[in-house]
């Protein structure tokens, strides 16, 4: 073969492209032939790269969504700053005033505030029910209803996502180009929503202290943001698959999924999100919470990794534009986990004193009193909670419990004296105590271990992560009403000693405290007996504290007796509306009503607080709860 012939042969058969062959052919093309020839230009390109993706629109939508979330946060922050400033002013002006001198603060200074509290801020979504769970059976829960304020916030978030999702050019004639645009928009929104999703999931979320919004609220937002991310990821995958199947068929799509890291990682991330959504359904989550939590962490790590790989291996220089967001998301997730580890290590280990040790006492009424002796000083505010774990009892699990009692042990000076000055106090140690009801799983194992110890208590190596929360200060209120149900007393009793001490020192506005505790039988009194003995012996306690105990199932009617006029015991359940109205009639200054207990009790107290909202009284409401 000649040199020219060999060079021509090197190019292989010179077969023209389908669309060129049609143009050069003398045979009139049929409709079927035209459709096949045009497929490459009307379908296939829109399943790859950023072809058909409205990238400028996506970046605009990204900014709009972040502005939507940011504006809502700024509105909440503005209200919080106003509330904090008003509380500080009330605190300073009333902490040295007698009860009669707080009349100004008893009345609402804004005529619209009582109505806002009654109808929006404190109102359940529908009628009365809010924190009481809906149950299919005694073991299967399907969750709770949000408040109206939560519903408004969630509604704005969800509607804005839907609006941004479907703000597309629907006039396009090429439906595959439209599918590519939807693919780009949904993928962008899914990654954009992952940023606040991760921030709100963290226990060390800085917004908790800045906005003074409970972790429980952030957990609610986290769940709904997660659901939105899953839906958007499914739309993203389905929009790509629609074009891929039209252009290459199922076999072609499957081949690309198996041999293209970009597509395989994205598909794996979507599968992980779908599995996570199914596991997070309320009946499954509540029935197998420990298992769900473990899989949740593992799947979250897998999803983030796959999404990172998906963005990094795209067939465009530098990867997808969302790669930097994924790096930020991963860094936030790792930073929050490292913060937990650091906090755990710092709180529970000291070079001088070693590790934390817990004393666990089994108590009547299927409960354990746990006192953790920390090896260093820890500042613990009233109304806080901590996550605790024990060696030998599922040490990989940690659960939140309210801190009931705190004692600081100052370090002795050179002469062996333990003066409680600030320097010696902070050089010493801290003991924190909890009451843990024995239900199932972890709490039952702890109680059984303590019961089988053969003595009044057992010692066990433990660790505490926290304290968390504690941003609801009651120091500026002249009147405080604390409702507790069963082990909910742990949250409420943490306020009593600091408030009474502040009353004696003239550093708080509080002049009247009413504690209402509902228990099943008198055995529950043993849970808090050592701490209550300290409180009842405090100077001037009778001038400020009134305790009302309601025993719903007394074993003997003779057990129901009132020790004094300030500590009274009653059979049955309290009439919460009547009780609260009586407190409002005798109100001193601004009032705060708090509740910690079963959902039904919390809903009763919430409704009673709504009923007394009017311009002649300021009654604030705080609910302490852990919902999952």
């Amino acid at each position: 073969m000649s040199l020219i012939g060999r060079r021509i042969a090197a190019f292989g058969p010179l077969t023209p492209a389908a669309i060129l062959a049609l143009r050069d052919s003398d045979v009139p093309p049929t409709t079927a032939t035209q459709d096949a020839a045009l497929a490459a230009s009307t379908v296939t390109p829109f399943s790859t790269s950023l072809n058909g993706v409205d990238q400028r629109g996506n970046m605009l939508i990204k900014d709009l969504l972040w502005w939507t979330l940011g504006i809502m946060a700024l509105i909440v922050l503005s209200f919080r700053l106003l509330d904090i400033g008003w509380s500080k002013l009330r605190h300073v002006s009333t902490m040295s005033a007698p009860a009669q001198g707080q009349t100004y603060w008893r009345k609402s200074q804004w005529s619209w505030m009582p109505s806002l509290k009654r109808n929006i801020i404190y109102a359940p979504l529908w009628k009365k029910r809010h924190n009481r769970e809906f149950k299919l059976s005694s073991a299967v829960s399907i969750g709770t209803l949000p408040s109206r304020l939560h519903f408004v916030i969630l509604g704005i978030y969800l509607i804005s996502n839907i609006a941004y999702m479907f703000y597309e050019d629907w006039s396009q004639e090429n439906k595959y180009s439209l599918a590519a645009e939807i693919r780009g928009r949904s993928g962008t929104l899914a990654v954009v929503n992952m940023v606040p999703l991760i921030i709100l999931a963290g226990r060390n979320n800085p917004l908790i202290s800045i906005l003074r919004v409970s972790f429980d609220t952030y957990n609610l937002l986290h769940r709904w943001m997660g659901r939105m991310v899953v839906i958007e990821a499914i739309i993203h995958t389905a929009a790509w698959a629609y074009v891929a199947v039209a252009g290459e068929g199922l076999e072609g799509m499957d081949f690309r999924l198996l041999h293209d890291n970009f597509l395989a990682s994205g598909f794996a991330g979507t599968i992980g999100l779908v599995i996570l959504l199914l596991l997070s359904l309320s009946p499954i989550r509540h029935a197998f919470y420990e298992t769900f939590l473990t899989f949740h962490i593992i799947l979250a790590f897998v999803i983030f990794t796959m999404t990172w790989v998906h963005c990094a291996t795209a067939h465009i220089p530098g990867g997808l534009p969302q790669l930097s967001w994924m790096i930020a998301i991963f860094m936030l997730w790792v930073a929050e986990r490292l913060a937990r580890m650091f906090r755990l290590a710092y709180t529970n280990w000291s070079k001088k004193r070693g590790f934390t040790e817990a004393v666990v006492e089994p108590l009547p009424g299927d409960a354990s009193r746990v006192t953790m002796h920390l090896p260093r000083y820890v500042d613990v505010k009233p109304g806080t909670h901590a996550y605790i774990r024990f060696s030998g009892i599922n040490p990989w699990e940690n659960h939140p419990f309210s801190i009931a009692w705190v004692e600081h042990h100052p370090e002795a000076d050179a002469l062996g004296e333990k003066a409680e000055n600030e320097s010696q106090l902070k050089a010493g140690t801290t003991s924190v105590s909890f009451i843990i009801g024995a239900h199932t799983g972890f709490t039952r194992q702890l109680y059984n271990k303590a019961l089988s110890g053969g003595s009044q208590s057992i010692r066990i190596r433990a660790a505490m992560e926290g304290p968390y929360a504690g941003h609801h200060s009651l120091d500026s209120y002249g009147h405080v009403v604390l409702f507790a149900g069963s082990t909910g007393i742990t949250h409420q009793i943490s306020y009593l000693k600091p408030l009474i001490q502040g009353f004696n020192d003239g550093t708080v506005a509080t002049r009247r405290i009413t504690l209402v505790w509902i228990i099943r039988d008198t055995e529950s009194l043993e849970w808090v007996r050592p701490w209550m003995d300290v409180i009842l012996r405090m100077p001037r306690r009778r001038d400020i504290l009134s305790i009302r105990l309601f025993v719903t199932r007394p074993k003997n009617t003779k057990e129901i007796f009132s020790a004094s006029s300030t500590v009274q015991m009653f059979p049955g359940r309290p009439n919460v509306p009547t009780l609260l109205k009586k407190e409002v009639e005798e109100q001193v200054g601004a009032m705060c009503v708090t509740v910690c207990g079963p959902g039904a009790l919390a809903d009763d107290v919430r409704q009673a607080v709504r009923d007394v909202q009017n311009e002649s009284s300021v009654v604030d409401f705080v609910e302490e709860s852990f919902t999952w």
Side-chain angles (χ1 to χ4, degrees):
M1 183 182 295
S2 66
L3 178 62
I4 294 175
R6 287 198 301 271
R7 291 195 174 184
I8 291 173
F11 285 99
L14 298 177
T15 305
I19 193 68
L20 294 177
L22 267 178
R23 185 190 68 185
D24 297 336
S25 174
D26 293 331
V27 180
T30 63
T31 302
T33 307
Q34 286 178 324
D35 291 344
L38 291 173
S41 60
T42 59
V43 181
T44 305
F46 298 112
S47 68
T48 58
S49 190
L50 296 178
N51 296 324
V53 174
D54 179 15
Q55 196 58 23
R56 178 179 296 181
N58 289 342
M59 294 302 102
L60 174 62
I61 292 300
K62 175 259 297 182
D63 292 337
L64 287 174
L65 181 55
W66 279 345
W67 270 108
T68 301
L69 296 173
I71 289 172
M72 285 196 291
L74 286 173
I75 292 172
V76 175
L77 178 61
S78 299
F79 273 97
R80 283 303 181 193
L81 290 176
L82 178 63
D83 179 60
I84 292 168
W86 193 252
S87 297
K88 290 292 184 184
L89 179 62
R90 183 174 64 214
H91 186 187
V92 171
S93 64
T94 57
M95 64 182 183
S96 58
Q100 302 90 320
Q102 297 192 28
T103 305
Y104 174 82
W105 298 101
R106 173 179 176 171
K107 299 179 181 179
S108 177
Q109 305 305 312
W110 297 288
S111 59
W112 47 268
M113 183 58 77
S115 178
L116 183 66
K117 289 179 181 178
R118 181 173 58 251
N119 298 310
I120 300 294
I121 299 177
Y122 300 152
L125 178 60
W126 182 254
K127 293 185 178 180
K128 175 183 174 180
R129 193 165 191 158
H130 168 58
N131 206 28
R132 182 184 173 192
E133 293 182 334
F134 288 92
K135 288 181 174 289
L136 297 178
S137 68
S138 59
V140 181
S141 169
I142 58 174
T144 60
L145 286 175
S147 68
R148 286 181 195 167
L149 180 60
H150 290 158
F151 182 76
V152 169
I153 294 172
L154 286 172
I156 293 172
Y157 167 74
L158 295 175
I159 291 171
S160 65
N161 263 272
I162 294 170
Y164 300 150
M165 175 73 250
F166 293 106
Y167 183 70
E168 315 283 3
D169 183 7
W170 296 96
S171 63
Q172 298 182 64
E173 293 183 5
N174 190 334
K175 58 184 178 181
Y176 302 109
S177 176
L178 176 61
E181 190 173 336
I182 294 174
R183 167 171 60 88
R185 182 63 46 78
S186 56
T188 298
L189 284 172
V191 179
V192 168
N193 280 305
M194 282 185 179
V195 177
L197 176 72
I198 292 305
I199 293 175
L200 300 188
R203 299 172 189 170
N204 297 283
N205 173 10
L207 294 177
I208 293 176
S209 57
I210 294 173
L211 301 181
R212 297 195 174 189
V213 174
S214 68
F215 177 70
D216 195 57
T217 295
Y218 286 119
N219 202 21
L220 172 69
L221 298 175
H222 170 78
R223 290 197 298 270
W224 280 99
M225 284 183 173
R227 290 160 186 158
M228 181 56 69
V229 168
V230 176
I231 292 170
E232 289 166 345
I234 292 172
I235 293 174
H236 177 70
T237 304
W240 168 82
Y242 171 71
V243 180
V245 170
E248 307 168 58
L250 282 173
E251 291 185 0
M253 184 189 73
D254 291 344
F255 180 84
R256 291 180 63 191
L257 281 174
L258 293 174
H259 295 86
D260 189 326
N261 290 334
F262 169 66
L263 297 176
S265 57
F267 191 65
T270 301
I271 292 175
L273 283 168
V274 172
I275 295 173
L276 195 55
L277 176 65
L278 295 175
L279 292 176
S280 67
L281 294 176
S282 188
I284 299 174
R285 188 175 73 248
H286 284 84
F288 310 99
Y289 182 72
E290 289 83 3
T291 304
F292 158 76
L293 189 61
T294 302
F295 276 99
H296 187 89
I297 296 170
I298 295 171
L299 283 171
F301 181 79
V302 170
I303 290 164
F304 295 148
T305 303
M306 290 297 99
T307 309
W308 187 336
V309 172
H310 182 65
C311 293
T313 58
H315 305 301
I316 57 176
L320 291 176
Q322 292 83 1
L323 178 59
S324 59
W325 310 345
M326 281 311 305
I327 294 173
I329 290 168
F330 208 83
M331 290 176 65
L332 285 171
W333 190 79
V334 172
E336 206 280 328
R337 292 285 160 179
L338 289 175
R340 293 189 193 184
M341 292 173 60
F342 174 79
R343 198 167 189 171
L344 196 66
Y346 177 81
T347 304
N348 296 283
W349 180 80
S350 166
K351 185 176 181 180
K352 183 178 180 180
R353 302 184 182 94
F355 294 91
T356 297
E357 188 177 55
V359 176
V360 184
E361 306 168 70
L363 300 174
D366 283 6
S368 304
R369 182 164 54 225
V370 177
T371 301
M372 304 186 78
H373 300 287
L374 307 177
R376 64 173 71 246
Y377 171 85
V378 177
D379 184 22
V380 182
K381 297 179 181 179
T384 55
H385 64 268
Y387 293 80
I388 59 178
R389 65 185 78 209
F390 297 91
S391 174
I393 306 175
N394 302 349
W396 59 88
E397 292 184 17
N398 61 97
H399 298 265
F401 298 99
S402 295
I403 297 175
W405 197 255
V406 181
E407 288 188 3
H408 298 295
H409 311 287
E411 186 176 52
D413 59 18
L415 299 177
E417 298 292 332
K418 290 188 176 182
E420 293 193 12
N421 59 61
E422 187 174 355
S423 60
Q424 285 183 274
L425 205 63
K426 292 188 174 181
T429 61
T430 298
S431 297
V432 294
S433 299
F434 309 82
I435 297 296
I436 302 175
H439 299 290
T440 59
F442 167 84
T443 57
R444 176 60 62 178
Q445 291 180 48
L446 177 66
Y447 177 74
N448 290 340
K449 187 178 182 70
L451 201 61
S452 62
S455 60
Q456 291 185 344
S457 65
I458 62 170
R459 289 183 173 270
I460 187 172
R461 183 68 58 82
M464 181 189 92
E465 182 193 332
Y468 291 105
H471 46 262
H472 290 300
S473 173
L474 305 183
D475 294 354
S476 68
Y477 293 97
H479 198 147
V480 174
V481 182
L482 310 171
F483 284 90
S486 188
T487 54
I489 188 63
T490 54
H491 179 80
Q492 308 296 39
I493 203 172
S494 68
Y495 286 104
L496 296 183
K497 185 179 176 182
L499 287 177
I500 296 173
Q501 188 63 52
F503 170 70
N504 289 326
D505 297 340
T507 58
V508 301
T510 311
R511 299 294 178 266
R512 176 173 177 146
I513 306 170
T514 300
L515 172 65
V516 181
W517 186 19
I518 301 97
I519 54 179
R520 180 177 298 177
D521 53 54
T522 54
E523 286 184 343
S524 301
L525 298 175
E526 292 298 323
W527 300 350
V528 298
R529 186 176 296 279
W531 310 324
M532 196 58 74
D533 286 345
V534 173
I535 291 169
L536 295 179
R537 288 197 300 266
M538 293 182 72
R540 302 178 65 195
R541 184 271 308 171
R542 292 177 180 272
D543 297 340
I544 184 174
L545 177 64
S546 173
I547 301 175
R548 298 177 184 178
L549 303 170
F550 290 85
V551 185
T552 60
R553 299 177 187 175
K555 295 179 178 178
N556 191 328
T557 54
K558 294 181 179 180
E559 297 176 341
I560 309 301
F561 67 93
S562 299
S564 67
S565 60
T566 57
V567 181
Q568 297 178 307
M569 188 178 296
F570 306 93
R573 299 181 183 277
N575 186 321
V576 175
T578 301
L579 194 154
L580 191 57
K581 285 177 183 177
K582 186 175 185 302
E583 292 292 324
V584 171
E585 290 172 2
E586 302 171 358
Q587 183 174 338
V588 177
M591 176 187 289
C592 184
V593 179
T594 78
V595 60
C596 184
L601 171 64
D603 290 350
D604 286 342
V605 176
R606 178 183 292 269
Q607 182 61 41
V609 170
R610 292 178 64 211
D611 290 341
V612 297
Q613 294 295 330
N614 56 63
E615 294 183 30
S616 62
S617 62
V618 173
V619 182
D620 291 341
F621 175 70
V622 176
E623 178 182 11
E624 177 68 12
S625 63
F626 296 106
T627 57
W628 304 102

